[in-house]
Amino acid sequence: SQTIHQWPATLVQPVGSPLSLECTVEGTSNPNLYWYRQAAGRGLQLLFYSVGIGQISSEVPQNLSASRPQDRQFILSSKKLLLSDSGFYLCAWSASFGQGLGDTQYFGPGTRLTVL
Amino acid sequence: QKEVEQDPGPLSVPEGAIVSLNCTYSNSAFQYFMWYRQYSRKGPELLMYTYSSGNKEDGRFTAQVDKSSKYISLFIRDSQPSDSATYLCAMSGATDSWGKLQFGAGTQVVVTP
């Protein structure tokens, strides 16, 4: 079965510091990968998605970036955090096109980021 | 206007009652419909997945899709306090190369003992 991991679970960082959040998926190959942010009491905001190694698309312009160095690894980064970057960051995966599973996405446990 | 509208609640019901949740949408191309449950400080977990119109039942959960009205519903029978969570609807059109989902804002449900 497939599993998705995120770490760290919780992070408190000062404004202006760098950020690196990691997500890995097990039990599937060539997944589509997604980064979302969920502000308190708000819906899910898609930040980045990737359909393959090195292929990243950005949905929202901001000071965050994403990379996919390996098939099942997705990293969210920032060089300098802003207060507005605080939130709950979720990684998700879905089967790649043609595997007959529609567009169902499966989420990781999330990382709660507080920028002070 | 948002593509997917969902009442944020909170929706408070007594234990054992039926919980009724719904979403409306504007894009007639949507074909895949999902419901996710999200407990506080956790990632969303998939509850129900339906393709096109009709009903789907899984234990205490029933999902309905009415494409003619652009309206989907989730019913939870015999609700339990453990059903207290935020429920998000999600949907997408014909599968493209990366499967972007449109999410509702989520409805907070509180089941009181």
Side-chain angles (χ1 to χ4, degrees):
Chain A
S1 64
Q2 301 87 6
T3 55
I4 179 169
H5 304 279
Q6 283 186 249
W7 63 91
T10 305
L11 192 59
V12 180
Q13 292 285 91
V15 169
S17 63
L19 172 74
S20 180
L21 303 181
E22 189 164 343
C23 170
T24 58
V25 181
E26 296 176 355
T28 187
S29 59
N30 195 31
N32 296 330
L33 296 172
Y34 311 83
W35 278 112
Y36 289 88
R37 178 168 57 205
Q38 188 176 38
R42 304 280 297 276
L44 292 168
Q45 180 186 33
L46 180 63
L47 302 175
F48 301 95
Y49 65 92
S50 171
V51 300
I53 295 174
Q55 300 179 62
I56 309 294
S57 296
S58 173
E59 286 288 295
V60 181
Q62 57 208 325
N63 70 322
L64 299 172
S65 63
S67 62
R68 185 170 177 174
Q70 301 181 45
D71 181 44
R72 290 169 289 178
Q73 184 185 27
F74 206 22
I75 296 172
L76 183 69
S77 303
S78 174
K79 292 182 179 178
K80 289 186 177 182
L81 283 169
L82 307 172
L83 286 174
S84 57
D85 291 324
S86 293
F88 191 45
Y89 287 83
L90 290 157
C91 181
W93 74 273
S94 68
S96 54
F97 178 71
Q99 293 191 18
L101 298 177
D103 301 323
T104 305
Q105 292 181 19
Y106 302 90
F107 288 84
T111 294
R112 187 160 301 280
L113 172 66
T114 303
V115 182
L116 301 175
Chain B
Q1 182 187 4
K2 295 180 183 177
E3 276 196 284
V4 180
E5 298 281 356
Q6 184 177 10
D7 188 329
L11 177 64
S12 183
V13 300
E15 182 175 358
I18 295 175
V19 176
S20 176
L21 304 166
N22 57 76
C23 289
T24 58
Y25 63 94
S26 57
N27 188 342
S28 59
F30 288 150
Q31 296 184 54
Y32 301 93
F33 303 92
M34 289 138 249
W35 286 95
Y36 290 84
R37 177 176 63 196
Q38 185 176 22
Y39 291 115
S40 180
R41 307 177 77 86
K42 302 290 185 184
E45 60 176 315
L46 180 68
L47 268 183
M48 300 286 283
Y49 167 82
T50 52
Y51 170 69
S52 194
S53 287
N55 293 0
K56 184 174 182 178
E57 190 172 318
D58 184 1
R60 297 186 295 113
F61 299 91
T62 299
Q64 291 184 350
V65 175
D66 182 347
K67 290 188 71 178
S68 62
S69 301
K70 299 188 180 69
Y71 187 91
I72 69 170
S73 302
L74 178 72
F75 300 97
I76 308 173
R77 293 183 299 280
D78 187 25
S79 59
Q80 305 294 313
S82 58
D83 295 324
S84 298
T86 297
Y87 292 80
L88 300 103
C89 63
M91 51 197 77
S92 68
T95 303
D96 57 19
S97 62
W98 60 275
K100 180 177 180 178
L101 291 181
Q102 293 293 340
F103 284 89
T107 299
Q108 183 185 1
V109 172
V110 179
V111 181
T112 55

